[in-house]
Amino acid sequence: MNQVVSDVLINLNSVTKTYQTDAGLFMALKGVNLHVMAGEFVAIVGKSGSGKTTLINMITGLDRPTEGEICVGGAAVEKLSENQLAAWRGRTIGVVFQFFQLLPMLTALENVMLPMDFCGTPAFG
């Protein structure tokens, strides 16, 4: 069954991410193509060092690809400025980090709502 392009929520085309290290270039992602449809549930699994976190960082705009295109919800993520990315993330993306990055004096709900408040996004409604 063919899906209409508008049903694609996350679209990565030929995404590559290379880091410069003391030992030389390290290719964390090589030509990744990923298409996630609206309403689809996806899990990213793999061994340590396989690029899972790098891939999530690409999708959320926390890092930029060396090459390739990333489109999430109609936004060309790799083309957004840092300020545009911050506003886009505040309206569009929720990230739960492996090490949580939560403020201990807030409840779990308050931690989730805090970035929404920064962006002026209504929590309910």
Side-chain angles (χ1 to χ4, degrees):
M1 176 177 170
N2 289 336
Q3 295 282 340
V4 237
V5 175
S6 64
D7 286 348
V8 178
L9 183 61
I10 299 171
N11 191 22
L12 279 68
N13 290 310
S14 302
V15 172
T16 297
K17 180 62 180 180
T18 306
Y19 295 99
Q20 180 66 49
T21 70
D22 291 340
L25 290 178
F26 173 75
M27 188 170 289
L29 299 175
K30 182 179 179 182
V32 173
N33 294 303
L34 174 68
H35 312 287
V36 179
M37 308 309 284
E40 189 172 14
F41 185 83
V42 176
I44 300 171
V45 296
K47 65 181 184 175
S48 179
S50 64
K52 300 178 302 292
T53 299
T54 302
L55 181 61
I56 295 297
N57 288 346
M58 296 292 116
I59 293 169
T60 59
L62 292 172
D63 201 357
R64 296 189 183 269
T66 306
E67 296 177 20
E69 299 173 337
I70 302 166
C71 185
V72 179
V77 176
E78 82 284 356
K79 294 181 181 177
L80 298 175
S81 70
E82 289 302 319
N83 286 340
Q84 290 170 323
L85 275 171
W88 173 79
R89 272 193 300 269
R91 290 187 318 270
T92 311
I93 298 287
V95 180
V96 178
F97 291 92
Q98 183 173 346
F99 296 105
F100 303 120
Q101 308 296 332
L102 301 176
L103 299 175
M105 71 286 292
L106 300 178
T107 67
L109 179 60
E110 290 167 338
N111 269 282
V112 170
M113 291 171 56
L114 183 63
M116 297 170 72
D117 189 40
F118 289 153
C119 294
T121 304
F124 303 98

